[in-house]
Amino acid sequence: VMEPLTRLFDLAIFLLSNPEHVHSPHLRSKLGDLIFEVYLQPEAKTSVHPQATFRPHHLLLRDSASSQHNLAPALLKLYGDVEHIGYYDKLQSRHHIAMVLKFLWGAEGHKRTFQRIASDEDSFISFANGLMNETNKLVGTMMEKLPEIRAVQQRQQNSADWESMTDQQRSEVLDRHHNNEQELRYSMDLCNETIHMLGYLSSDDGIRKPFLQPQLLGRLASMLLSVLTHLVGSKGLEIKVNNPDDYNFRPKAMLAEIAATMAHFAEYPEFHQAVAGSGFFHESLLPKAMSTLRKAHVLDTTGESAFETLVAKVQEAATQQSTDEALFGEAPDEFLDPILCTVMSDPVRLPTSGTVVERSVILQHLLNDPTDPFSRQPLTKDDLISENDLRGRIEEWKASQQASRTGGGLGEAQPMDLEAATEGR
């Protein structure tokens, strides 16, 4: 029995590791489903058939040489590749991938192979982009369904209100309620696994650093802050439902995982700046999260200390950004990114429209839309043309503004001569 199962296992890993032999992400997703259904040990699954038992072929996932050398990076790549195979197929595929990856992360001999995808820039960016897209969508589903479920629960607890409805009205409300409950359970399963995956992957220094690439960093910071806002923000009461465990919704555990993930990046100034510059950031959010974490006792002393350090560093970055906004508020138009209206630091020209934009901004756009946003013509990152002369003039202007501030104080700073700054436009 083992021999054909072993050959099938090795074939599946070979095809997953060599996508040029199976170009269709939809077909390759079925190979991932096969690995999950046949070879993942029953106890590693969230729900299994009651008669499922351990079999010798389950050892292949942990002990096989082909699995130890190739499976983790192949599945990480597949996670990114299934972005467009269809909503429900994608959810199922990514849930299966996440469960297998969690098992492999804890299995001896596998963890080091995870780092291989971090050295493949394009594959890692595709994976990380898929991970963040999925988290955003799943958290969006959570925030849509939980308030609706809470509203029905409150109506049911109000006897007068519930009895005032006709049988047909109650039936319609309950039908929608049960559909919401089913969709929430399914979404929360994957949401929990996705957030957990981000946490354990970012705990490894070799995998953490690629998340700091300019096209990923801003999205990562905004995604983490978005989840925090939902959990501890002003609308947190709207998602407080009866028996949250019934829906696989564990807000304290989710808050702890998000905080721990953010703490993994506490030593990186670029992460502090990305958090402080995110549209989801406001001064009270991180301190409120810190207070909630302490009350809930869900982080150990080391974790609390790391998150507290991050909070302080982000507050410093936010203060510096406010100062810079005042200092650079009168920048020449050609120094401003036309999408975000912020002063550029690495300007590039789009050959398809001639527009000059900030590199990190256009790279984030290209992750999900490979076109020039101004002409809608096809565009790739390799098409971008560095504007080094413009970059030099921006740096010179910034230095002039900073020199004026240090020389006479912010109130006495004089802007650089605009004609000089824009000479050679």
Side-chain angles (χ1 to χ4, degrees), residues 39-55:
Y39 298 97
L40 183 62
Q41 298 178 15
E43 60 268 26
K45 300 177 181 178
T46 53
S47 60
V48 294
H49 191 279
Q51 295 182 348
T53 58
F54 178 83
R55 302 290 185 187

Side-chain angles (χ1 to χ4, degrees), residues 195-330:
I195 290 174
H196 181 59
M197 190 194 312
L198 182 60
Y200 67 70
L201 289 177
S202 63
S203 70
D204 183 279
D205 186 60
I207 302 175
R208 183 188 316 131
K209 288 181 179 177
F211 278 105
L212 300 174
Q213 295 178 84
Q215 57 266 59
L216 297 176
L217 181 55
R219 295 200 65 216
L220 174 65
S222 291
M223 183 206 74
L224 294 169
L225 288 176
S226 172
V227 180
L228 276 188
T229 299
H230 293 317
L231 293 175
V232 302
S234 59
K235 295 186 178 181
L237 186 62
E238 295 179 5
I239 60 175
K240 188 175 182 180
V241 296
N242 300 331
N243 304 316
D245 282 344
D246 290 349
Y247 308 112
N248 304 313
F249 177 50
R250 294 175 282 276
K252 290 182 181 179
M254 184 179 291
L255 175 61
E257 293 234 55
I258 292 296
T261 298
M262 296 184 75
H264 292 157
F265 295 91
E267 64 179 293
Y268 300 100
E270 57 265 52
F271 183 72
H272 311 154
Q273 294 160 10
V275 171
S278 168
F280 289 95
F281 175 77
H282 55 83
E283 290 186 357
S284 64
L285 178 60
L286 293 181
K288 186 174 182 181
M290 184 76 254
S291 175
T292 304
L293 287 165
R294 286 191 178 122
K295 292 177 182 176
H297 302 292
V298 290
L299 286 182
D300 58 23
T301 303
T302 302
E304 277 194 12
S305 177
F307 189 72
E308 189 172 21
T309 298
L310 173 71
V311 173
K313 294 293 186 182
V314 170
Q315 298 289 22
E316 291 176 8
T319 299
Q320 183 60 51
Q321 287 181 12
S322 295
T323 301
D324 289 345
E325 286 176 8
L327 187 63
F328 304 139
E330 299 298 327

Side-chain angles (χ1 to χ4, degrees), residues 147-162:
E148 292 186 20
I149 291 171
R150 172 181 166 83
V152 174
Q153 290 178 343
Q154 290 180 321
R155 293 195 75 176
Q156 289 177 313
Q157 292 169 357
N158 186 333
S159 300
D161 183 23
W162 190 248

